[in-house]
Amino acid sequence: MPVIYEYLGIKILFYSGEHKPIHVHAVKNGNVVKVSFYVKNGKITRVTYKAEVGKFSPSDLKHLKVLLV
């Protein structure tokens, strides 16, 4: 997956051929969080964060939420 952005050491990855819902993967220090965006009528209605590998620290999760909301 290509890196589309890096913020405070958190890499945001996106692959266009993946499944719905629209999502990105955030990676830092080997930890991975999947961030899903739910869209209705062209607007994001909900954003979810799911740990896939390891766990982000509370401060890294806070930075990720600031970046993606």
Side-chain angles (χ1 to χ4, degrees):
M1 276 181 259
V3 175
I4 58 172
Y5 194 73
E6 186 170 346
Y7 176 73
L8 297 173
I10 302 170
K11 293 179 181 177
I12 306 299
L13 305 128
F14 174 79
Y15 180 68
S16 64
E18 286 198 320
H19 55 85
K20 289 189 177 183
I22 298 167
H23 64 279
V24 296
H25 300 269
V27 179
K28 184 172 182 184
N29 298 329
N31 301 306
V32 181
V33 173
K34 179 179 171 183
V35 183
S36 299
F37 302 92
Y38 295 87
V39 179
K40 186 174 182 179
N41 298 324
K43 295 189 178 197
I44 297 172
T45 58
R46 182 169 58 122
V47 179
T48 61
Y49 302 83
K50 180 181 178 191
E52 291 195 315
V53 177
K55 186 177 179 182
F56 269 32
S57 70
S59 64
D60 285 338
L61 190 57
K62 180 180 176 181
H63 292 304
L64 179 61
K65 288 179 178 182
V66 167
L67 173 65
L68 295 178
V69 173

